[in-house]
Every structure is written in C-alpha cells, then in structure tokens.
C-alpha cells in the first residue's frame, strides 16, 4: 500500500524540475538542465510504473487509493482538498502521460538542442507534466480544474515559445482564450455539482449520482452539458476546435506531447471520469456522440488539402478526438480510452516523425518542398509508415483495434440514429487513410523537391536521441492493440481492468454481436481504409500529375477545393460575427460614447452648469459700493412689502 | 498584548513620521525617502503582531475605547475583526512597498510627497479600525486630502482635472453619508434616550424599512463611488492615469476597498431590510460593471487606463459576492479585496517600472520587452496570471468562492458574472502580448534595463503572497469566517446548516442516508425574514412605550 500512498511523488517530481529549471536554469549548464528535466520526469515515470504494478496486484474491487496532502480551500461547508487518487482510469492516463512524456523529453534534448531558452523550454515542459498529472490524478473536480487550467497555461507558454514571432504568440493567446471559453462551462458545472451533491469529491458524487438525480433530469443534463463545453475547449471539438491547428506554431515535440498525446485527451478523460453523470443524461450523451461524429468527419476533410505537414496532423488529431467522443457518447468508454492509448502512441510517433523530417530539412514544413525522404531518413520513414498504417486502421496495427471497436459500438448502438454515426465515422476513416497516405507519399516517396540548396545539402537522419523514442513509439503503435483484442473471449484486458471505474447505472449496454457480422464490419472498415490508400497512391505516387490537373480544374471542384483549403472559412466567420463586432462595440459604443460622452458628459455637464451659474451670479459682485447700496435698499423694500402683504389684514 | 494600544500605534506611527519629516532639510532627499520608508516598514512589522495575536472569533479585538467628546457621546474607539484585519495588513504592506517604489519616480517636492503619503497611510488604517462614526468620518475625509494633492501636484498632464474630479465625486457621496449618519444619531437617541456614535451598537438598530432604504441609498452612493461601481466609475480612469505610480497603487490597492469595506461594516448590518430589498439591482449593477469594465479595458491603448478599467471589473466581482449574502461569496469577496490589492497594486508598479524607463504608458510604444527585461517579464506574467484568476494563484480562490456563493443565491447572476473570466484572459493576455512579446520594433526600447535589486525586492513580497494565498488560502479564510458568519446572522438570511458530516465521511454503502441528509438539509433554511421583522418592530414598540411611561 505504501507505494500508492506516496503517489504524490509522481506529479511533484516534475514540479520540482520545473521550479529548478525555471528559477536557476539560466545559471546551470545545458547538461545540468537536461539532467534535472529528464531526471525528474524519468523518476516520475518509473515511480508511476511501480505504482501501477502495485495497483494491478490489488483485488479489482479495491483498486483505488486516495491520499490527501492538505486542505486547499475551505469555506463554510465547501471543502476542496489537495488530494489525489489513483484508480484504473487515472492509472492508465498516468502511465501514458509519464511514459510518452518521458520519451518526448528525451527527443526534445535532440530537437531543441540548438535553441536559445533551452532551460525555459524544459521548465515549461516539466510544468506541463505536473499539471497534466494533477489533472488525471486529482480526487476532486477542483484539483482537476487546476490541472486543466495549468495545462492550458503551459500550452499557451509553449505555443508562444518563440515569443518574438507574432504568429506564434497570437496562436498561444488564441489557444488560451478559446480554452477559457470551455473552462467557463467547466467551472459552472463544478459549482452546480457542489450545490447538488454538497461535495466536489469524486467519491461522494459518482456513487450517489443516480440516487440524487433523476435520469434525464434538468440538473444532470445541465451539469453534463456544461462539463462537455469544457471538454470541447480542451479537446478541440466543434465549435471550439479552431485553436488547435494554429497551435502548431509551437515546437514540434510540444505538438506531439500536448497537442496530440496528452492534453487534448483531457476532455475524453473528463467525460469518462464523469461517466456516472453522463450515463443518466441521455440527451447529453446524444450531444457528445453527435459532436464527436461530426467533428471526426469535418476535421478529417479539412486535412485533405493542407500543405503544412504539422497542420495535416493537427486536423487528424481533432478528427481522432472526435472518434473518442463518439465512443463516449455511445457509452463505449472503454473503446474511448483504448483509442486514447493507441492514439497517444501513433500520433506522438507521427508528430515526432514530422519533427524529425522538419529537423532534417532545416525547418521546412511545406510538403511541396519535401519528397524522397524514404532513402534519406530511413528510420524516420519506417516508424512513420507504421504509425500511418495504425491511424489508417490497417489490421495488426494498434489503431485498427481501437477504431474498429468504436465503429462496432456505433453500428450496434442503442442510441437513436446510431447508424448515421457509423456512416459518418466510416467515411471519416476513408478520408483519414487518404490524407494520411497523401502526406506519406508527398513526404517520403519520389524525389526531394526543395529548391533551397542549403536544405538539399543538409538533409540528414536525426540523431539517435530522437530516433530512439520514434522506434519505441512505433513499437507501441504495433503492440498497443494487444490491450483490447476483439472477438476472443476475455482477451480484452483493458475492458476488465477499467470495469470498476465505469458505473453500470443507466449505462448503455455494449453490443455482443455475432462473430460473422463483427468480421463483416471489420472487412468494411479495412476496405474503406484500403480504398483511401489506393486513391492517395494514385494521385500522389503513381500519377502525381493528375492531382495537379485536378487542382487546376474550374467549376464546383475549385469551389470545394478552395473552401476546404480555407478550412471552411470558420476562422473568418468567427472573426466577423464575434471578434470584430465585440471589439468595435466596446471601443466605439461603450467607451467612446457611453463612458466618455454619456456618463462623463453628465458629470462634466453638472460641473459646467454650476460654473456657468456662478459666472452669471458673479457679475452682481461688481465691487462698487453704490451697486451694493442699491441692492440693499431694494432688498429692504422687498422685505417690507412682503411684510405688509402677509400681515396686511 | 492586551495592554498595548496596537491600533493607535499603527495609526500614529505615520503621524509621528510626518511630524519628524518636517524637521528634515528639504534638500536631503535620500534621508527623507529612507525615513519615510523606514517608518512604513516598521509599521508593517508592527501590524504583523495583529496577525499573530488575532483570535478566531467574530468579536472586535485590540479594542481601545476612550471617551472623547462627552456631550455628543463621541468615543475614540478602535478595533479589528476578521473583516478588517487583513485590510489593515494590506494597507501597511502596500504603503511600505509604495515608499520603496518612489525612490526614483518622485524627485519634485519629495518631502511634501512623503508627508502626504504618511498622512494617507494613517487615514487608511484609521478608517479600517474606527468603531465610532465620528472617528470613522474624520479618517474617511482625512484620506481624501493627501490623495487630492498626490494627484494634483505629482500627477501627469491633466492632473488638476483628475484631482478635482476625484475630490468632487467622492465628496458628494460622503456628504450624503454624513446626512444619513446624523439622522441615525438622532434616531438612536429617540430609541434609547442616549447619544452614541458607536458603530457596533447601530448594528441591528431597528429602523423603519421605508426610511431605511433612503439611509441605505445615502451610504450606498458614498461606497459605490469609492468602489467604484458602474456607473459611478468615470473618475477612476482619470485619477489613475494622472496619479503617480505610488498614488495609483494606494488608490487601487486600498482606497477602492473602502467602498466594499463600507458595505460590509455599515450597509449590511445596519440596514438589513434595505440590503435584502436591494440585492437584485445592486447585483445587476455589479455584473454590468464586471462585463463593461472588461470590455472597455480590452480596447484601451493606455496601459494604466486598461488596468483601471480592469479594477472596475474585479471590484464588480467583490460587490456581487458581498450582496450574495452567503458565507462563500462574502469570504470570496473579502479574499478578492486582498487579491485585487496585491495583483492590481503589482500591475501599477509594473506600469510604473515601464513609465520610469520610457515615460509613456501607450501600449503601442512597447513590444518585445521580454527579450530585454527577462526578470521583469516573469514577474509581469505571474501578476497577469494572478489577475486573470489562474488556479494555484490567489485570484482564483476569491473569484471561485464568489461565483460559488452567487450560484447558490442566483444561478443566472453566476453565469453572467462567470463570463468575466473569459474577458479578463482576453484583455490581460492581449496587453501582455503587445507590450512584452514580438520583436523590438521601437528603437527607444533597444537598451532597456532589467529590474534592479530594489525593484525586485519590492515585487518579491507581492509575488510570494500571490502564491501563498493561491495555495494556502484556508488559514486566512478560517480567520475571516466567524466575522463573516456573524455578519450574515445580522443580516438575517440564515444559510443552510453545514453539510460537514456528509462531506467528511462519504459512506458509499449508505447511499440512502446520504439522500435523506440532502433533502433534510434543503428544509433547513431557518429564520424567515418576517420573523425577524416582527421581533424588530416589537422592540421599537416597547422602546417607545418605555419612553412614554417614564416619568418626565
């Protein structure tokens, strides 16, 4: 038990690393900075692994351990403790965060080696690890919220890491503000939860949720929808996804860690964590599933014609997160978490691979300038290919199993319109395999198209410190599927492991279809993936000219092409209906007219009135004795007249 | 400790400082500066004794009471409770920091400036400690004069306009308050046959609700102008923009809290019926202030104006919390008063640092400063994050408790007010970005010096408190709690009884018990308003009977 009680060490170590590098990093040598950053996360990962093994050794029903450090906020009956808890769900996320996080730390040593502000980078990255661990390990909603905002902050700082670059800083601010809109929903949900349950601890909310709240009631629907607003912000779902593609301004390892493997899955974690609430709010479940399914397809199409290698991956992340929410909305939480795991592996690998490519091409991110890297960067190539196959959903690779489980849940779901979800998700799968292989062929096949001599001369495979993490992640992208083998009875390790976390009350029954139909569905999903690959192969490998010809065609194809390339003009629309009107109204209407003209006009007007009045009255003070004497006489006459008129009778 | 008149010492140390400064040679500026700073630093250290000797009850502590003017029943009476304690500490700390920050900023009439600041300090501490209306009013007005001079003499271009505006705005409010005090003074005499100006004995004084509302409005105007609440806020941007850095810090850090403190010490406990009747419209004004202040802050091109408008927004939260009338919201409000003092005080110091180097407050004049002033960039970032309420820093705790409490009393208000956290992120981060990030485009910013040791050391205590109050706010809340609970009792809206038993022992097996507890708790709202009113009216009735029956 001791190990689980000391679970605090897991988040605290990266925090200490962040403090050390943040305060005195500039005075330390590069080697020392590296040692602090990697040491703290490495030991944290090691400790997390031990704790996880200890958790496994416990009886499934007692796999939960809380430890409380101190009372953070206590006001009357409101208590928020600085407490953390480990159970199967947080355990899984803890392993992903520390494991993938540690690999990306290692990779960063190579990738960021030549950058200024090396210690600043690692201080932020360690702080991110701390926040993310707090998010998944917290034992109450408010601790989750610290982590939630903390990862948002680190994301802001790391996107704007190159702070003299305006586009990077803009992207960072956009990320923070859009996330804040989501957090607005989250914080309201926390308040509502407190006043409904009298507590914000998971252990006093979830077990009683179905007793306190009626199924489908206003309160539980409201709470879950507000929570989901938070999730759409952090996990980049419609309508708050627009920050994620811009977030690619940050260094690539950051994109891999924060904007692919961990932070963006926080929303999925939150929904899965609150399954006891979502289960009894059918309306919210439909909202979650619909948003997820629509985002999955919508974002996938936006990835179709991007030329920035990282942006393609960013849209694919949004799309894959859509799958996870679809699974949550269908009540298939295990499938959602399964996809979080496999996605963490293959997407981190893809991002790091793209980073390796960018590194090898002296910072080039435009795929039109790439090509032919298969021979020049063999290790990067092979790991990238594995991960691409995984995300495309080709059997044996991890992504196939998790994505297929989601498609299966959609096909056999009990939710109304589940077949539409299935159709959307399957179409998205086809689109995904197309644009991922488009990316693959543009980058690795053919010949290097870059015209920049410097780039051509300096193409090189990345150093082992970068390729080793790639190899490990690629390995995991193959083996990850073992966690949840389909069809064979009891082979789904993850399902039985996570079972204690997922409430059965009001839960949607997961399907157990006949084996033949399951195979049939798998065949369909593999089929569409292969079609996607073949199409990509035709346009970008066998017949590269045809793609260019198609792009030049006039008519509706061009309109579609333009619309998609401009991301459906969503940013422009938001700008036109929210950003600009609010700014102009605030400046011209509120400030310049209301504040300066109306209120101050009134205030100054009163002052001016008295000023003018006294100016007028002042004129009676002529300084001539005769004038005063006359006024006195007039006054006396007036008084006497009044006297007589009043007392006349 | 009982025998030492600690509060008098705190009030009169600055006065002694003022008097001794008179005898220092005008030209010896550094001696004047050191002396003034020394005095305020000592005062801060002495004020820490309040913290260590404070007992967690709602009773007034460190009480001093001496008869002053017998015929009018005026006492020199001082005391602090959980509501005023931290405001006194904030005052002594802010004052000391201000003296440290003016070393280079004030070069003209140094002696007069220091004397004004010391007088201001005495007035502010006195206002928070006074327990007698007469004494309170004196201190209240005493603060006005030095502030008027600080803006009018050491201010910027339009300093006279700003100073007069500040003075008149505040004066109008205070005069009406004075009228209300005088009315109550005679009313008190009518009820009890005695003359007294003891503030505490006015708490719960029966006043006919029809008249109460007018008295309440008179006090409200005085305090609302101070806070300042929308739409009485337009003096603030002008005053801040024109005031020298130290003046702005005191103004934002302390003077604005006089208004919110006034609500807690006077409006709520003396006029409970009027308070309850006014909750809705005051909350609406507060929410307008939150959103309006934020939106207008967003479009400012002058950093100081931006921070000034952000104060309107932040103080809107405080007022909203106070008038939610439950423990969390009022405690959150109190915390937020401290937090705002720390973070906005720090923001004005930050503007001061920039201003001293570049003599401009226009955002467009800056850009890329982070590269030139890395230490400054970190401090500025932490303060910015504190101001936008990042969890883990102080601002979050206050804001969250306020919203939590408001949610209980009115969900719609809580939802509308919560949008403030989004706006705050927008205007603060955008400002930070335009000042600190990007490339240095203005050649004048090429060789800016980073903070020196003196500057770092006056930011240090603020930064430490920003973290400490963000991570360990509970001891502070606990010290406030008895006073806050007592205050709510006085207003009469009894809150639900604590759920502590349920929270502490989440017994997963006895879920049904839990449910019962919740529903029982819902029924637990005691003391209806009418019950209290009957009690009050009976009291009035018996009092007037007693007077009639007593032999003349």
């Amino acid at each position: 038990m001791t190990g689980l009680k000391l679970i605090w060490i897991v988040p605290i170590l990266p925090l200490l690393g962040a403090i050390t590098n943040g305060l005195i990093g500039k005075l330390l040598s590069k080697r020392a900075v590296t040692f602090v950053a990697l040491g703290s996360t490495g030991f944290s990962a090691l400790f997390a692994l031990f704790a996880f093994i200890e958790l496994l050794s416990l009886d499934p029903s007692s796999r939960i351990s809380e430890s409380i450090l101190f009372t953070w906020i206590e006001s009357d009956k409101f208590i928020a403790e600085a407490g953390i808890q480990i159970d199967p769900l947080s355990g899984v996320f803890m392993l992903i965060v520390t494991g993938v996080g540690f690999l990306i730390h290692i990779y960063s040593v190579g990738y960021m080696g030549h950058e200024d502000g090396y210690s600043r980078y690692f201080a932020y990255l360690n702080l991110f690890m701390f926040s993310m661990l707090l998010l998944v390990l917290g034992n109450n909603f408010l601790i989750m919220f610290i982590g939630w905002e903390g990862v948002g902050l680190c994301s802001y700082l790391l996107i704007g890491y190159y702070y003299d670059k305006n586009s990077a800083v803009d992207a960072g601010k956009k990320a923070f503000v859009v996330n804040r809109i989501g957090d607005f929903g989250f914080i309201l949900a926390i308040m509502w939860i407190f006043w409904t349950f009298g507590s914000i601890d998971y252990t006093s909310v979830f077990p009683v949720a179905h007793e306190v709240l009626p199924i489908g009631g206003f309160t539980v629907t409201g709470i879950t929808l507000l929570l989901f607003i938070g999730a759409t912000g952090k996990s980049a779902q419609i309508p708050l996804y627009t920050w994620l593609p811009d977030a690619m301004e940050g260094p690539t390892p950051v994109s891999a860690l924060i904007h692919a493997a961990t932070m963006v899955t926080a929303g999925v974690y939150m929904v899965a964590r609150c399954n006891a609430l979502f289960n009894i709010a059918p309306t919210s479940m439909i909202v979650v599933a619909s948003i997820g399914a629509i985002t999955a397809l919508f974002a996938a199409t936006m990835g179709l014609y991007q030329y920035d290698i990282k942006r393609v991956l960013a849209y694919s992340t949004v799309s894959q997160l859509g799958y996870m929410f679809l699974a949550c909305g269908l009540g298939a939480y295990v499938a959602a978490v399964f996809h979080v795991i496999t996605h963490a592996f293959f997407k981190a690998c893809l991002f790091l691979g793209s980073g390796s490519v960018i590194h090898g091409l002296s910072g080039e991110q435009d795929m039109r300038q790439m090509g032919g890297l298969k021979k020049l960067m063999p290790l990067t190539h092979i790991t990238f290919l594995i991960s691409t196959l995984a995300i495309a959903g080709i059997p044996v690779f991890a992504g196939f199993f998790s994505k297929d489980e989601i498609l299966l849940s959609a096909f056999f779901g009990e939710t109304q319109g589940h077949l539409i979800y299935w159709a959307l998700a399957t179409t998205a799968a086809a689109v995904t395999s197309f644009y991922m292989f488009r990316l693959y062929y543009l980058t690795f096949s053919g010949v290097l198209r870059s015209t920049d001599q410097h780039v051509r001369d300096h193409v090189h495979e990345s150093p082992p410190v970068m390729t080793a993490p790639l190899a490990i992640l690629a390995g995991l992208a193959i083996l990850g599927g073992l966690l949840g083998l389909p069809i064979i009875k009891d082979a789904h390790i993850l399902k039985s492991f996570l079972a204690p976390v997922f409430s059965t009350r009001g839960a949607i029954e997961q399907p157990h279809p006949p084996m033949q139909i399951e195979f049939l569905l798998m065949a369909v999903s593999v089929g569409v993936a292969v079609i996607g690959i073949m199409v990509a192969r035709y346009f970008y490998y066998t017949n590269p000219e045809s793609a260019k010809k198609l792009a030049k065609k006039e008519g509706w194809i061009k309109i579609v092409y333009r619309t998609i390339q401009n991301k459906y003009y969503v940013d422009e629309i938001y700008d036109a209906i929210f950003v600009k009107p609010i700014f102009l109204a605030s400046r011209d209407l509120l400030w310049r007219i209301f504040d300066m003209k109306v209120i101050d006009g009134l205030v100054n007007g009163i002052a001016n009135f008295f000023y003018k009045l006294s100016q007028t009255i002042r004129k009676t003070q002529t300084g001539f004795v005769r004038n005063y004497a006359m006024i006195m006489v007039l006054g006396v006459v007036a008084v006497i007249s009044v006297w007589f008129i009043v007392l006349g009778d | 400790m009982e025998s030492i008149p600690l509060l008098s010492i705190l009030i009169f140390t600055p006065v002694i400082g003022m008097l001794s400064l008179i005898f220092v040679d005008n030209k010896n500026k550094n001696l004047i500066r050191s002396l003034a700073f020394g005095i305020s630093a000592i005062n801060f250290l002495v004020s820490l004794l309040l913290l260590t000797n404070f007992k967690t009850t709602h009773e007034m502590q460190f009480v001093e009471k001496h008869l002053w003017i017998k015929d009018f029943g005026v006492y020199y009476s001082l005391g602090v409770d959980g509501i005023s304690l931290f405001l006194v500490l904030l005052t002594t700390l802010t004052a000391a920091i201000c003296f440290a920050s003016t070393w280079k900023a004030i070069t003209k009439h140094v002696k007069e400036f220091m004397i004004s600041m010391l007088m201001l300090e005495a007035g502010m501490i006195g206002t928070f400690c006074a327990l007698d209306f007469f004494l309170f009013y004196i201190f209240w007005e005493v603060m006005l004069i030095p502030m008027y001079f600080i803006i009018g003499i050491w201010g910027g271009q339009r300093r006279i306009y700003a100073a007069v505006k500040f003075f008149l705005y505040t004066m109008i409010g205070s005069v009406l308050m004075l009228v209300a005090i005088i009315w109550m003074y005679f009313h008190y005499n009518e009820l009890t046959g005695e003359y007294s100006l003891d503030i505490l004995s006015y708490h719960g004084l029966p006043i006919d609700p029809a008249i109460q509302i007018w008295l309440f409005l008179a006090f409200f105007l005085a305090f609302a102008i101070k806070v300042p609440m929308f739409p009485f806020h337009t003096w603030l941007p002008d005053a801040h923009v024109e005031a020298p850095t130290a003046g702005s810090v005191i103004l934002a850090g302390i003077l604005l809290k006089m208004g919110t403190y006034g609500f807690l010490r006077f409006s709520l406990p003396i006029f409970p019926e009027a308070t309850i009747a006014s909750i809705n419209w005051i909350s609406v004004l507060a929410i307008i202030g939150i959103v309006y202040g934020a939106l207008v802050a967003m479009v400012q091109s002058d950093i100081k104006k931006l921070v000034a408008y952000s104060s309107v927004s932040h103080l809107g939260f405080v007022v909203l919390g106070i008038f939610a009338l439950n423990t969390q919201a009022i405690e959150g409000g109190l915390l937020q008063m401290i937090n705002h003092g720390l973070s906005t005080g720090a923001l004005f110091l930050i503007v001061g640092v920039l201003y001293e180097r570049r003599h401009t407050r226009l955002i467009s004049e800056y850009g890329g400063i982070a590269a030139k002033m890395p230490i400054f960039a970190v401090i500025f970032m932490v303060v910015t994050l504190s101001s936008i309420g990042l969890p883990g820093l102080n601002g979050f705790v206050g804001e969250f408790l306020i919203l939590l409490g408001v949610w209980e009393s009115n969900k719609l208000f809580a939802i509308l007010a919560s949008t403030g956290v989004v706006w705050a992120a927008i205007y603060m981060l955008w400002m930070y970005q335009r000042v600190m990030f990007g490339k240095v485009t203005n050649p004048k910013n090429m060789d800016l010096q980073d903070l020196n040791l003196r500057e770092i050391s006056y930011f240090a205590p603020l930064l430490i408190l920003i973290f400490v109050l963000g991570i360990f706010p509970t001891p502070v809340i606990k010290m406030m709690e008895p006073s806050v609970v007592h205050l709510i009792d006085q207003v009469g809206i009894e809150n639900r009884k604590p759920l502590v038993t349920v929270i502490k022992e989440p017994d997963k097996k006895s879920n049904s018990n839990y449910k019962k507890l919740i529903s029982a708790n819902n029924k637990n709202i005691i003391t209806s308003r009418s019950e209290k009113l009957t009690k009050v009216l009976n009291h009035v009735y018996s009092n007037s009977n007693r007077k009639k029956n007593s032999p003349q």
Side-chain angles (χ1 to χ4, degrees), chain A residues 410-431:
Chain A
F411 192 82
F412 290 102
E414 290 173 352
T415 324
Q416 227 170 8
H418 60 96
L419 283 177
I420 301 175
Y421 295 146
W422 178 80
L424 286 172
T426 308
T427 317
V431 177

Side-chain angles (χ1 to χ4, degrees), chain A residues 26 64 66 70-81 142 145-146 149-150 153 156-157 160 163-166 169-170 172-173 176-177 180-181 183-184 187-192 194-201 203-205 207-208 210-212 226 582-584 586-588 590-591 594-596 599-600 603-604 607, chain B residues 161 165 169 230-231 233-234 238 292 295-296 298-300 305 309 327-328 331 370-371 374 381 385 388-392 396-397 400-401 403-405 407-408 411 414-415 418-419 421-423 425-426 429-430 432-433 436-439 470-474 477-478 481 496-499 503-504 506 508 511-512 514-515 518:
Chain A
K26 278 201 175 151
I64 179 165
E66 272 187 285
F70 61 94
T71 303
W72 177 31
I73 303 177
E74 182 177 352
S75 165
D76 196 15
K77 58 203 145 173
F78 177 81
I79 296 171
E81 270 153 344
L142 218 56
F145 191 73
I146 307 190
E149 287 251 301
L153 168 71
Y156 164 76
L157 292 170
Y163 60 79
D164 54 355
K165 199 170 145 203
N166 277 326
V169 180
D170 277 332
K173 189 191 66 190
F176 196 92
V177 170
R180 265 267 156 140
I181 298 172
D183 298 351
F184 158 77
I187 197 83
L188 289 176
I190 295 176
M191 293 172 198
W192 207 344
F194 174 73
W195 290 114
T196 309
F197 294 92
S199 173
I200 52 162
D201 292 344
T203 43
S204 8
V205 171
V208 294
H210 60 280
E211 287 184 37
V212 176
L226 285 172
I582 290 176
F583 183 84
L584 290 177
S586 304
R587 194 187 61 189
D588 297 337
L590 294 184
W591 182 43
F594 192 76
D595 224 56
M596 292 167 76
I599 301 181
D600 260 4
V603 172
N604 291 338
Chain B
Y161 171 74
K165 199 173 181 183
Y169 246 112
F230 177 90
H233 64 275
T234 59
D238 285 316
Y292 181 91
L295 288 176
V296 177
M298 184 171 75
V299 297
Q300 296 305 315
K305 263 199 174 157
Y309 278 108
T327 320
Q328 285 92 359
E331 282 172 1
M381 179 52 85
L385 295 173
I388 65 181
L390 190 87
F396 173 73
V397 185
F400 177 74
L401 286 177
L403 292 173
L404 187 71
W407 178 275
E408 166 72 343
K411 286 191 180 57
I415 294 170
S418 298
T419 58
V421 301
V422 180
W423 302 122
I426 297 175
L429 290 181
W430 195 34
Y432 188 91
Q433 171 186 349
M436 302 304 288
F437 290 149
K439 289 194 169 63
I471 301 169
F472 306 106
T474 305
I477 300 174
K478 288 290 123 193
E481 194 146 288
R496 295 162 191 214
K497 284 292 162 215
L499 275 171
I503 297 165
K504 276 298 171 192
K508 278 165 224 155
N511 287 336
S512 52
Y514 181 89
K515 203 178 170 187
I518 296 246

Side-chain angles (χ1 to χ4, degrees), chain B residues 88-99:
Chain B
V88 173
L89 291 172
L90 181 68
T91 309
T92 54
L93 174 69
T94 312
I97 289 173
C98 279
F99 283 110

Side-chain angles (χ1 to χ4, degrees), chain A residues 305-570:
Chain A
Y305 300 123
Q306 298 296 320
Y307 285 107
D308 184 319
I309 185 167
K310 282 179 72 182
R311 277 190 178 256
V312 177
L313 292 177
Y315 284 112
S316 91
T317 305
V318 177
S319 166
Q320 297 299 313
L321 289 165
Y323 278 102
M324 298 170 203
F325 281 107
L326 170 62
C328 287
L330 293 165
Y333 300 107
V334 177
V337 176
F338 188 19
H339 203 55
V340 167
I341 299 171
T342 60
H343 178 257
F345 296 151
F346 64 68
K347 188 51 72 63
C349 186
L350 286 168
F351 262 115
L352 295 184
S354 77
S356 174
V357 168
I358 295 166
H359 193 74
L361 295 177
S362 317
E364 184 59 70
Q365 289 186 216
D366 191 331
M367 293 191 292
R368 284 168 292 195
Q369 305 296 318
M370 297 177 184
L373 295 179
K374 194 173 179 175
K375 297 236 172 58
L376 298 166
M377 305 178 80
L379 258 168
T380 306
H381 164 254
I382 187 74
T383 54
F384 204 93
L385 180 61
I386 290 169
S387 308
T388 310
L389 288 166
I391 193 176
I394 300 301
V396 183
F397 300 98
F400 164 75
F401 296 99
S402 52
K403 191 188 274 184
D404 203 63
E405 204 173 315
I406 297 171
L407 292 176
L408 198 73
S409 302
F411 192 82
F412 290 102
E414 290 173 352
T415 324
Q416 227 170 8
H418 60 96
L419 283 177
I420 301 175
Y421 295 146
W422 178 80
L424 286 172
T426 308
T427 317
V431 177
T432 304
S433 76
F434 169 76
Y435 70 71
M436 280 313 297
F437 271 88
R438 169 181 176 264
L439 185 157
Y440 168 78
Y441 286 122
L442 278 176
T443 310
F444 291 99
S445 70
V447 288
L448 185 59
R449 289 178 294 273
S450 177
T451 46
D452 187 332
Q453 202 52 47
H454 175 82
V455 172
R456 297 185 72 90
D457 289 347
H458 288 81
V459 184
H460 60 86
E461 177 62 287
S462 299
V465 71
M466 286 164 72
T467 46
L470 280 179
I472 295 171
L473 285 168
L476 290 169
I478 301 173
L479 299 175
L482 293 176
L483 288 172
L485 289 179
I487 301 166
I488 311 161
K489 205 165 175 288
D490 292 331
H492 204 308
I493 308 167
L494 198 64
K495 193 183 220 162
S496 46
F497 179 62
L498 289 174
V501 183
F502 295 121
S503 154
T504 47
R505 304 269 181 170
I508 299 169
E509 189 73 17
Q510 291 307 307
H512 303 284
M515 205 186 285
Q516 295 87 339
I517 300 181
E518 206 172 330
F519 273 121
L520 198 68
L521 280 175
M522 281 181 191
V524 171
S525 72
V526 174
V528 297
V530 170
I531 292 170
I533 296 172
M534 296 321 285
V535 175
R537 190 179 168 82
Y538 175 77
F539 278 123
Y540 299 99
Y541 185 70
T542 24
N543 266 321
E545 290 310 308
S546 59
K548 284 175 196 157
K549 252 186 245 162
L550 199 66
K552 282 187 188 120
K553 260 192 186 161
E554 293 294 324
W556 65 271
I557 289 187
K558 189 167 185 171
I559 297 170
V560 171
Y561 181 75
R562 276 282 164 79
T563 315
I564 291 179
Q565 200 171 33
N566 285 296
K567 305 159 271 174
Y568 300 95
Y569 301 99
V570 172

Side-chain angles (χ1 to χ4, degrees), chain A residues 187-245:
Chain A
I187 197 83
L188 289 176
I190 295 176
M191 293 172 198
W192 207 344
I193 287 169
F194 174 73
W195 290 114
T196 309
F197 294 92
S199 173
I200 52 162
D201 292 344
Y202 300 151
T203 43
S204 8
V205 171
F206 299 137
V208 294
H210 60 280
E211 287 184 37
V212 176
L213 296 167
I215 289 183
F218 176 72
T219 309
V220 74
T221 310
I223 290 174
T224 45
L225 285 179
L226 285 172
L227 284 173
F228 185 60
I229 290 177
T232 55
K234 191 97 343 188
S235 295
Q237 296 296 292
I238 291 172
L240 299 180
Y241 68 91
T242 53
W243 65 271
L244 187 60

